[in-house]
Amino acid sequence: MSDLRVGVVGAGLMGADHVARLQGRIAGATVSAVIDPDTQRAEMAAQAAPGSTVFSGIAAAIESGSMDAVLIATPGQFHLEDLFTALDAELPVLCEKPLTPDPESALKVVDAEVAGGRKLIQVGFMRRFDPGYMELREIIATQPYGDLLALRCAHRNPSVPEGYTGEMLINDSVVHEFDVVRYLTDSPIAAVDVKHLKRNTNNYPHLNEPILAFLETESGVIADVEMNVSVKFGYQVKTEAVFESAIVEIGRTSGTTTWSDGKYSGSEHVTFKTRFQEAFDNELRRWVNAAKNGTIDGPSAWDGYLVAAACQAGVQALNTGQRVEVDYVPQPDFYK
Amino acid sequence: MSDLRVGVVGAGLMGADHVARLQGRIAGATVSAVIDPDTQRAEMAAQAAPGSTVFSGIAAAIESGSMDAVLIATPGQFHLEDLFTALDAELPVLCEKPLTPDPESALKVVDAEVAGGRKLIQVGFMRRFDPGYMELREIIATQPYGDLLALRCAHRNPSVPEGYTGEMLINDSVVHEFDVVRYLTDSPIAAVDVKHLKRNTNNYPHLNEPILAFLETESGVIADVEMNVSVKFGYQVKTEAVFESAIVEIGRTSGTTTWSDGKYSGSEHVTFKTRFQEAFDNELRRWVNAAKNGTIDGPSAWDGYLVAAACQAGVQALNTGQRVEVDYVPQPDFYK
Amino acid sequence: MSDLRVGVVGAGLMGADHVARLQGRIAGATVSAVIDPDTQRAEMAAQAAPGSTVFSGIAAAIESGSMDAVLIATPGQFHLEDLFTALDAELPVLCEKPLTPDPESALKVVDAEVAGGRKLIQVGFMRRFDPGYMELREIIATQPYGDLLALRCAHRNPSVPEGYTGEMLINDSVVHEFDVVRYLTDSPIAAVDVKHLKRNTNNYPHLNEPILAFLETESGVIADVEMNVSVKFGYQVKTEAVFESAIVEIGRTSGTTTWSDGKYSGSEHVTFKTRFQEAFDNELRRWVNAAKNGTIDGPSAWDGYLVAAACQAGVQALNTGQRVEVDYVPQPDFYK
Amino acid sequence: MSDLRVGVVGAGLMGADHVARLQGRIAGATVSAVIDPDTQRAEMAAQAAPGSTVFSGIAAAIESGSMDAVLIATPGQFHLEDLFTALDAELPVLCEKPLTPDPESALKVVDAEVAGGRKLIQVGFMRRFDPGYMELREIIATQPYGDLLALRCAHRNPSVPEGYTGEMLINDSVVHEFDVVRYLTDSPIAAVDVKHLKRNTNNYPHLNEPILAFLETESGVIADVEMNVSVKFGYQVKTEAVFESAIVEIGRTSGTTTWSDGKYSGSEHVTFKTRFQEAFDNELRRWVNAAKNGTIDGPSAWDGYLVAAACQAGVQALNTGQRVEVDYVPQPDFYK
């Protein structure tokens, strides 16, 4: 099957990242178009996608017939028009959050999509694809530890740019929890409350943070979310789920931990496929890139020989119980 | 740039896994041929690669002109002939370990490659692409903690098939340490010694394991490797590196840990790009697959609307200091 | 110096625990009196303190001249009178929390102590003596990570007895955070707010919990405290301290963890004195108890001989590089 | 029951530590005598034990009738004579390791004790009293994970004094593993083998370390012990126990971890008694010391009042759902 030809709208930080990711890490996709009114910026992003074309607007790109699908990565206030254009052209869309900046305009998109009769618009709430959130959602749904009572969340950024405003604490940051808390609990957010924590005076004078937001779902679960955008030490997004008889924490670099029955526990690998998943992916990715240039990028035939010689000595050591020295022929210059 | 057309030789467990991985997870590659004398098995593996052709031997596949590169995943005793054929055709190769079953035949491959004058053969020592081993190699090379003195390794399998023999403890399992210890230390294995640990009587009568293998590098580093193939609890490959002034451990599910200066420590994320790398990859992978069928696979425009409404309430709560309830329009049937 | 003769008032669960602890784990103290109107219960607790006398009231115990200090472990509503009696007798007191059940009566104790001119009453807020809280207080005071902004606390009990009421969530449980948050921040609690989390329907019908309590200190720090008394999985009291540039978490079984500068870290031992502190204490405690009966309780002279023989072989192995077998004389029946 | 009167022989680092521990941390014991030919050193150590007497030799101390038991903390070459003297006096002994420097002299002690017919001599292998080793021994004995196959041990010191010799790697350091491996497995050490790891060139020219020692028990368990005395980063003694179906690791600061059934796990507290064991001990220890001087050392009646006021506000907040400010009377100067 031929690759999906994707047009990426917006060649800023996020858009350029998507161009590189689609091209370098996602099988079955090719970035065919990079679209930005700032075509110089588009050209730069397009360097990661050889063969792609640069356009200054989505309409021209559609007209060229070079796109099967659209990824929108512009700021939220520019989404509405491009979404309508993509819907008209019946192209599947992945739209970075927010869908649009307010519920009224978002409803217009909803109405247009319903009128078209096809689900074409996906919103970029990527946490739903994070292994920790997926695992937690499964635990909440299957109830091995009873009902979920509360989610204790932290979203900590090292810093934000100076243009970041107080309202962006909600619209750009807590926004993720609005979606994922509903996704985890399968229940809409019914009410919100916000408290200021002690102000971090190192941050910009216009920005009073961190805050603590309380999300209540219709089902009665409370999520208290620490939203902290200048904690410097690192980027941390984690959630402690309080069940009737257990605690499950996701988002630590150490993985998901469960406290139940007087123990804490977590998963260990049971097969090389998960233990070395990332290694196999990296190996093949680098080999494919090298092979396109007619060569390799990894351990060579010489490495294979050296190991064969060591294995021969190893088997002898196993069978005799004696220490065995390994002999090698001299290394050809070719491999130096 | 067009995709690399890869022919996979061998449609057993490992070969089928490579077909699926190349097709589903690696950008820029297409599996164009699946090659196995058991063409029924080849057909099954080829189902993961629509458009690929099945061949009973590598020569026919080369003749067909449908391959740019070859991935060899047959048992080691069948590698030699296919490697020569691929070299003759000047195709880049990724050959699963072992290169060949003994150093003499491995040398023949080396000689042939040298004669051809192009590096075309890569051996599948995938640990070199594992983030932990890559990080440890960097630490050994840059010496923040002084010289490396020892590597204390464990390779623990839950179980092995009944055909697994005592010599395979070396040839199939310790083989990885022979390569990676040299890779980590940049020094060849100079000698090997093997001790039996107390025998696990639950294993097959013909298999006396676990064993402890000692690898000495020319540079004087000792690696003691516990090779354990029936420990049941899980699959664990880990290494504790003993430096002059620190310990670095890789391979735990919790990530790399360093003990130095009276502390243990490990890395925390500092950007969303690493924290949500896997989430972004999953998101795009699923969206690309859905978009090929003209639809989406993730949060919808309706999800986008719900979040926009919650954000509006959140900003009001932030600005007023009051609890705010969220209003939604009724959900269209279209999204149920 | 002779032992402090302590009278323990109240022979319930807590009182009996204090009798056993003072007698078995605290150097320099002897329980000389156990005081409870239920003298049968007092007799039982007194069995852990041979030589102690049982009294039905504190006055009689004081009159007998057998106490140098008093530990009060009765329920809070009975504290006031006994505190006055102890103050009159000028005896140092350790009074389990609460001092008294309400601020008015507590003030009477304060006034009486001030009038007496000597500090004689200590309240049993034992968290101040927990290594984690002590370490955190030091970090807050010395500010290596800037100002403290928030404390995110959890206090999780596996279960509570049926007599436990909703107000006891505050008076018996959050009470510890009221003290320790002030202790950590050196600033009084200025205001309190409480939210109910989703109700745990497994708990008693009269008990609506868990709750989330917000403590604001005068200095502006917010502590949000999850108070959860039926979480079953275990007993967990932990606090995540949010600083301007770091997070410090105390109370996990894994010890204190700090997130700063893109890393997480914790303390490693640097001397055998801390690594084996508990082992040395246990060793001496058991030996002292055995020696009082004219014998020992631990590795014997025979164990000493066996190790001496193994060491001799070990030194020979070190010096020769050969495997050395150890010879032992037969074990005397005396040691079997 | 009156305190055990202990005489401590040897007032060096270890002896002085024992004097302070017995006096300050062990209930039921009093250091009555400090014995060292260097009486000035003995006087210094004796300062931690008010009321104790200093002697230049054990015989004089015995003659004075002031000791019920003896703790010997001199270097090993001085043990033999003092052990005989203590046996003659029928005093229980705790003798720091080694019992004596060689198996021949150790046998003489054994013979003398057997002749006396009473177990009076305990050897200071304190690891047997470490919670981790005790837990592991129980697991080995009860076999929830099948038979024990191997112990992978590390003993890492930050540094050793210049007088430390190569043979002390065995006699002073591996000595602990000789005892504890046998204690864990209930099987004597049958053979020993030693390998040198790559030499740490930062250590003294006369000291070739680290080493790897192999201990074989009669039951067939192999312990490989990394003995490392200049690793700088900290003091670490840990053991990974390899069972037929699980791994159990003890000695990490994070506590004991078990890998079994596709999970890692560890114990969580289930009661405040273990969670705050150290806090309660510290609290009482400090209070007892203060009470001997007629005062307290911890939270005061004023702290009790402040908490009572906060609790009153907290209950009001709980009952009303409103934020409640806390009122306090002014703090008396007495408490400032």
Side-chain angles (χ1 to χ4, degrees):
Chain A
M1 189 189 293
S2 58
D3 277 7
L4 183 80
R5 298 169 306 152
V6 181
V8 175
V9 187
L13 187 70
M14 202 73 200
D17 196 60
H18 277 304
V19 170
R21 184 181 307 274
L22 280 164
Q23 200 66 19
R25 297 178 63 87
I26 306 299
T30 299
V31 175
S32 57
V34 180
I35 301 154
D36 200 302
D38 179 345
T39 52
Q40 206 168 348
R41 192 164 74 160
E43 296 283 4
M44 274 187 56
Q47 286 175 9
S52 64
T53 310
V54 161
F55 297 92
S56 65
I58 188 174
I62 288 174
E63 204 171 330
S64 77
S66 62
M67 300 191 311
D68 303 319
V70 182
L71 192 159
I72 299 178
T74 49
Q77 67 266 34
F78 302 120
H79 288 179
L80 192 61
E81 196 178 344
D82 286 353
L83 286 167
F84 280 127
T85 309
L87 279 179
D88 281 349
E90 298 193 40
L91 294 177
V93 176
L94 177 56
C95 178
E96 272 302 324
K97 55 91 194 166
L99 180 63
T100 64
D102 54 76
E104 293 71 26
S105 54
L107 263 187
K108 287 184 191 159
V109 178
V110 161
D111 289 345
E113 190 182 40
V114 171
R118 268 176 70 191
K119 278 195 192 149
L120 287 169
I121 297 174
Q122 178 170 332
V123 187
F125 293 123
M126 82 292 184
R127 286 197 195 172
R128 295 195 187 195
F129 301 91
D130 174 72
Y133 284 105
M134 291 193 286
E135 189 181 355
L136 179 53
R137 187 173 195 247
E138 181 72 12
I139 294 170
I140 292 169
T142 55
Q143 303 216 304
Y145 309 120
D147 208 13
L148 176 72
L149 305 179
L151 295 164
R152 307 199 63 197
C153 311
H155 180 154
R156 294 161 180 156
N157 275 28
S159 61
V160 284
E162 193 161 1
Y164 190 97
T165 66
E167 297 197 349
M168 290 168 81
L169 288 165
I170 303 296
N171 287 326
D172 263 47
S173 300
V174 179
V175 62
H176 283 292
E177 251 89 13
F178 282 130
D179 183 65
V180 89
V181 166
R182 187 169 63 81
Y183 171 73
L184 290 172
T185 61
D186 255 333
S187 176
I189 308 301
V192 190
D193 203 352
V194 177
K195 282 178 190 280
H196 283 279
L197 298 174
K198 186 169 187 184
R199 185 173 184 153
N200 188 335
T201 54
N202 291 335
N203 213 332
Y204 309 113
H206 68 271
L207 201 49
N208 184 355
E209 62 88 40
I211 59 171
L212 204 54
F214 302 89
L215 284 50
E216 304 171 25
T217 68
E218 272 186 17
S219 59
V221 173
I222 306 291
D224 64 325
V225 182
E226 174 194 336
M227 190 60 244
N228 194 327
V229 297
S230 58
V231 74
K232 290 182 186 149
F233 78 89
Y235 181 90
Q236 194 177 54
V237 172
K238 72 188 186 77
T239 289
E240 218 178 339
V242 181
F243 292 91
E244 286 177 334
S245 64
I247 303 291
V248 177
E249 189 183 40
I250 62 167
R252 289 274 169 96
T253 50
S254 50
T256 296
T257 308
T258 300
W259 283 261
S260 63
D261 298 311
K263 288 194 182 302
Y264 67 86
S265 66
S267 294
E268 180 53 271
H269 295 291
V270 293
T271 158
F272 71 91
K273 292 191 186 180
T274 57
R275 169 64 180 87
F276 286 115
Q277 162 103 307
E278 195 169 350
F280 280 118
D281 284 356
N282 288 340
E283 178 190 51
L284 288 184
R285 214 171 268 140
R286 284 173 53 184
W287 176 71
V288 163
N289 286 337
K292 285 184 176 178
N293 297 314
T295 188
I296 58 167
D297 181 11
S300 69
W302 178 250
D303 295 311
Y305 160 71
L306 291 176
V307 168
C311 279
Q312 195 174 57
V315 169
Q316 199 183 332
L318 175 72
N319 290 338
T320 62
Q322 302 295 317
R323 177 176 176 276
V324 177
E325 299 195 353
V326 193
D327 280 326
Y328 304 106
V329 303
Q331 182 172 4
D333 288 341
F334 181 78
Y335 293 106
K336 278 173 184 165
Chain B
M1 188 188 295
S2 57
D3 277 6
L4 183 79
R5 298 171 306 153
V6 181
V8 174
V9 186
L13 188 71
M14 204 71 200
D17 196 61
H18 277 306
V19 170
R21 184 182 306 276
L22 280 165
Q23 200 66 19
R25 298 179 61 89
I26 306 301
T30 299
V31 175
S32 57
V34 180
I35 300 153
D36 199 303
D38 179 345
T39 52
Q40 208 169 343
R41 192 164 75 159
E43 295 284 2
M44 274 189 55
Q47 285 175 10
S52 63
T53 310
V54 161
F55 297 90
S56 64
I58 189 173
I62 288 174
E63 204 171 330
S64 77
S66 62
M67 299 192 310
D68 303 319
V70 181
L71 192 160
I72 298 178
T74 48
Q77 67 265 38
F78 303 120
H79 288 179
L80 192 61
E81 196 178 343
D82 286 352
L83 286 167
F84 279 126
T85 309
L87 279 179
D88 281 348
E90 297 193 40
L91 294 177
V93 176
L94 177 57
C95 178
E96 272 303 323
K97 55 93 193 161
L99 179 62
T100 64
D102 54 76
E104 293 70 27
S105 54
L107 262 189
K108 288 184 191 158
V109 179
V110 162
D111 290 344
E113 191 182 39
V114 171
R118 268 176 70 192
K119 279 196 190 147
L120 287 170
I121 296 173
Q122 178 169 334
V123 186
F125 294 123
M126 83 292 182
R127 287 197 193 171
R128 297 195 186 194
F129 301 92
D130 173 73
Y133 285 104
M134 291 193 287
E135 190 181 352
L136 179 54
R137 187 174 196 245
E138 181 73 14
I139 294 170
I140 293 170
T142 55
Q143 303 214 305
Y145 310 119
D147 208 11
L148 176 72
L149 305 180
L151 294 164
R152 306 198 64 199
C153 312
H155 180 155
R156 293 161 181 157
N157 275 28
S159 61
V160 284
E162 193 161 359
Y164 191 98
T165 65
E167 298 198 349
M168 290 168 81
L169 288 165
I170 303 296
N171 287 326
D172 262 47
S173 300
V174 180
V175 62
H176 283 292
E177 251 87 13
F178 282 130
D179 183 65
V180 88
V181 166
R182 186 171 61 82
Y183 171 74
L184 290 171
T185 60
D186 255 333
S187 176
I189 308 302
V192 190
D193 202 353
V194 177
K195 282 178 191 280
H196 282 279
L197 298 175
K198 186 170 186 184
R199 185 173 183 154
N200 188 336
T201 54
N202 291 333
N203 214 334
Y204 309 112
H206 67 272
L207 201 50
N208 184 355
E209 62 90 38
I211 59 171
L212 203 54
F214 302 88
L215 285 52
E216 303 171 27
T217 69
E218 271 187 18
S219 59
V221 172
I222 306 290
D224 63 327
V225 182
E226 174 195 336
M227 189 61 242
N228 193 327
V229 298
S230 58
V231 75
K232 289 182 186 148
F233 80 88
Y235 181 91
Q236 194 176 54
V237 172
K238 70 188 187 77
T239 289
E240 219 178 338
V242 181
F243 291 91
E244 285 177 335
S245 64
I247 303 290
V248 176
E249 189 185 38
I250 63 166
R252 288 276 170 96
T253 51
S254 51
T256 297
T257 307
T258 300
W259 283 261
S260 63
D261 298 311
K263 287 192 183 304
Y264 67 86
S265 65
S267 293
E268 179 53 272
H269 295 291
V270 294
T271 158
F272 71 93
K273 291 191 187 182
T274 57
R275 168 65 180 86
F276 286 115
Q277 162 103 308
E278 195 169 349
F280 279 118
D281 284 357
N282 288 341
E283 179 191 51
L284 288 184
R285 214 172 266 140
R286 284 173 51 183
W287 176 72
V288 163
N289 286 337
K292 286 183 175 178
N293 297 313
T295 187
I296 59 168
D297 181 12
S300 70
W302 178 249
D303 295 313
Y305 160 71
L306 290 176
V307 167
C311 279
Q312 196 176 55
V315 168
Q316 199 183 332
L318 175 73
N319 290 338
T320 63
Q322 303 294 317
R323 176 176 176 276
V324 177
E325 298 193 353
V326 193
D327 280 326
Y328 303 107
V329 301
Q331 183 173 3
D333 289 340
F334 182 78
Y335 293 106
K336 279 173 184 165
Chain C
M1 190 188 294
S2 58
D3 276 8
L4 183 79
R5 298 170 307 153
V6 181
V8 175
V9 187
L13 189 71
M14 203 72 201
D17 197 60
H18 277 305
V19 170
R21 184 181 306 277
L22 281 164
Q23 199 67 17
R25 297 179 63 87
I26 305 301
T30 299
V31 175
S32 56
V34 181
I35 301 155
D36 200 303
D38 179 344
T39 51
Q40 208 169 345
R41 191 163 77 160
E43 296 283 2
M44 275 187 55
Q47 285 175 9
S52 64
T53 310
V54 161
F55 297 90
S56 65
I58 188 174
I62 288 174
E63 205 171 327
S64 77
S66 62
M67 301 191 310
D68 303 320
V70 180
L71 192 160
I72 298 178
T74 50
Q77 66 265 35
F78 303 120
H79 287 180
L80 191 62
E81 197 178 343
D82 285 354
L83 286 167
F84 279 126
T85 308
L87 280 179
D88 282 348
E90 296 193 41
L91 295 178
V93 175
L94 178 57
C95 180
E96 271 303 323
K97 56 92 192 161
L99 180 62
T100 65
D102 55 76
E104 294 70 26
S105 54
L107 263 188
K108 287 183 192 159
V109 178
V110 162
D111 290 344
E113 190 182 39
V114 171
R118 268 175 71 191
K119 280 196 191 146
L120 288 169
I121 297 174
Q122 179 169 334
V123 186
F125 294 122
M126 83 292 183
R127 287 198 194 171
R128 296 194 186 194
F129 301 92
D130 174 73
Y133 284 104
M134 291 193 287
E135 189 180 354
L136 180 53
R137 186 173 197 246
E138 180 72 12
I139 294 169
I140 293 170
T142 55
Q143 302 215 306
Y145 309 119
D147 207 11
L148 175 73
L149 305 179
L151 294 165
R152 306 199 64 198
C153 311
H155 180 156
R156 294 161 180 157
N157 275 28
S159 62
V160 283
E162 195 161 358
Y164 191 98
T165 66
E167 298 199 348
M168 289 167 82
L169 288 164
I170 303 296
N171 287 326
D172 262 49
S173 300
V174 179
V175 61
H176 283 293
E177 250 88 13
F178 282 130
D179 183 66
V180 87
V181 167
R182 186 170 63 82
Y183 170 74
L184 290 171
T185 61
D186 255 333
S187 175
I189 308 302
V192 191
D193 204 351
V194 177
K195 282 178 191 281
H196 282 279
L197 298 173
K198 186 170 186 184
R199 184 174 184 154
N200 188 336
T201 53
N202 291 334
N203 213 332
Y204 309 112
H206 68 270
L207 200 51
N208 184 355
E209 62 90 36
I211 59 171
L212 205 53
F214 303 89
L215 283 52
E216 304 170 26
T217 68
E218 271 187 19
S219 59
V221 173
I222 306 290
D224 64 326
V225 182
E226 175 195 337
M227 189 62 243
N228 194 327
V229 297
S230 57
V231 76
K232 289 181 188 150
F233 80 88
Y235 181 91
Q236 195 177 53
V237 172
K238 71 188 188 75
T239 289
E240 219 178 340
V242 181
F243 291 91
E244 286 178 335
S245 64
I247 303 290
V248 177
E249 189 183 40
I250 61 167
R252 289 274 170 96
T253 50
S254 50
T256 296
T257 308
T258 299
W259 284 260
S260 64
D261 298 311
K263 287 193 183 303
Y264 67 86
S265 65
S267 294
E268 180 53 270
H269 294 291
V270 293
T271 159
F272 71 93
K273 291 190 188 182
T274 58
R275 169 65 180 87
F276 287 115
Q277 161 103 310
E278 196 170 348
F280 280 119
D281 284 356
N282 288 340
E283 178 190 52
L284 287 185
R285 215 172 266 140
R286 283 174 52 184
W287 176 70
V288 163
N289 285 337
K292 285 183 175 179
N293 297 313
T295 187
I296 58 168
D297 182 11
S300 68
W302 177 250
D303 295 312
Y305 160 71
L306 291 175
V307 168
C311 278
Q312 194 175 56
V315 169
Q316 199 184 333
L318 176 73
N319 290 339
T320 63
Q322 303 295 316
R323 177 176 176 276
V324 177
E325 299 194 354
V326 193
D327 281 325
Y328 303 107
V329 301
Q331 182 172 4
D333 288 340
F334 182 79
Y335 293 106
K336 279 176 183 163
Chain D
M1 190 188 293
S2 57
D3 277 8
L4 183 80
R5 299 171 306 154
V6 180
V8 175
V9 185
L13 189 69
M14 204 70 199
D17 197 59
H18 277 304
V19 169
R21 184 181 306 275
L22 280 165
Q23 199 68 19
R25 298 179 63 87
I26 306 300
T30 299
V31 175
S32 56
V34 180
I35 301 155
D36 201 300
D38 179 345
T39 52
Q40 205 169 347
R41 192 164 75 158
E43 296 282 2
M44 275 189 54
Q47 286 175 9
S52 64
T53 311
V54 161
F55 296 92
S56 64
I58 188 174
I62 288 174
E63 203 171 332
S64 78
S66 61
M67 300 190 312
D68 302 319
V70 180
L71 193 160
I72 298 178
T74 48
Q77 66 266 37
F78 303 119
H79 287 181
L80 191 62
E81 195 178 347
D82 286 353
L83 285 167
F84 280 126
T85 309
L87 279 179
D88 282 348
E90 298 193 39
L91 294 178
V93 175
L94 178 56
C95 178
E96 273 302 323
K97 55 92 193 164
L99 179 64
T100 64
D102 54 76
E104 293 71 26
S105 53
L107 263 188
K108 287 183 192 160
V109 178
V110 162
D111 290 343
E113 191 182 38
V114 171
R118 267 174 72 190
K119 279 196 190 146
L120 287 169
I121 296 174
Q122 179 169 331
V123 186
F125 293 123
M126 82 294 183
R127 287 197 193 172
R128 297 195 185 194
F129 301 91
D130 174 72
Y133 285 103
M134 291 193 288
E135 191 181 352
L136 179 53
R137 186 172 196 247
E138 181 72 13
I139 294 170
I140 293 170
T142 55
Q143 303 215 305
Y145 309 120
D147 207 12
L148 176 72
L149 306 179
L151 294 165
R152 306 198 64 199
C153 312
H155 180 154
R156 293 159 180 158
N157 275 27
S159 62
V160 282
E162 195 161 358
Y164 190 98
T165 66
E167 298 198 349
M168 290 169 81
L169 288 165
I170 303 296
N171 287 326
D172 262 47
S173 299
V174 180
V175 62
H176 283 293
E177 253 88 12
F178 282 130
D179 183 65
V180 87
V181 166
R182 186 168 63 81
Y183 170 74
L184 290 171
T185 60
D186 254 334
S187 176
I189 307 303
V192 191
D193 202 352
V194 176
K195 282 178 190 280
H196 282 279
L197 297 174
K198 186 169 186 185
R199 185 174 183 152
N200 188 336
T201 54
N202 291 334
N203 213 334
Y204 309 112
H206 68 271
L207 201 49
N208 184 355
E209 62 88 39
I211 59 170
L212 204 54
F214 303 88
L215 284 51
E216 305 171 25
T217 68
E218 271 187 17
S219 59
V221 173
I222 306 291
D224 65 324
V225 182
E226 174 195 337
M227 189 61 243
N228 193 328
V229 298
S230 57
V231 74
K232 288 182 188 152
F233 80 89
Y235 181 91
Q236 195 177 52
V237 172
K238 72 189 186 75
T239 289
E240 219 178 338
V242 181
F243 291 91
E244 284 177 335
S245 64
I247 304 291
V248 176
E249 189 184 40
I250 62 167
R252 288 274 170 96
T253 52
S254 51
T256 297
T257 307
T258 300
W259 284 261
S260 63
D261 297 311
K263 287 192 183 302
Y264 67 86
S265 65
S267 294
E268 179 54 271
H269 294 292
V270 293
T271 159
F272 70 92
K273 291 190 187 181
T274 57
R275 168 65 179 87
F276 287 115
Q277 162 103 308
E278 195 169 349
F280 279 118
D281 284 357
N282 288 340
E283 178 190 51
L284 288 184
R285 215 172 264 140
R286 283 174 52 184
W287 176 71
V288 163
N289 286 337
K292 286 184 175 177
N293 298 314
T295 186
I296 59 168
D297 182 11
S300 68
W302 178 249
D303 295 312
Y305 160 71
L306 291 175
V307 168
C311 280
Q312 195 175 58
V315 169
Q316 199 183 331
L318 176 73
N319 290 338
T320 63
Q322 303 295 316
R323 177 177 176 274
V324 177
E325 299 193 353
V326 194
D327 280 326
Y328 304 106
V329 301
Q331 182 173 3
D333 288 341
F334 181 79
Y335 293 106
K336 278 173 185 164

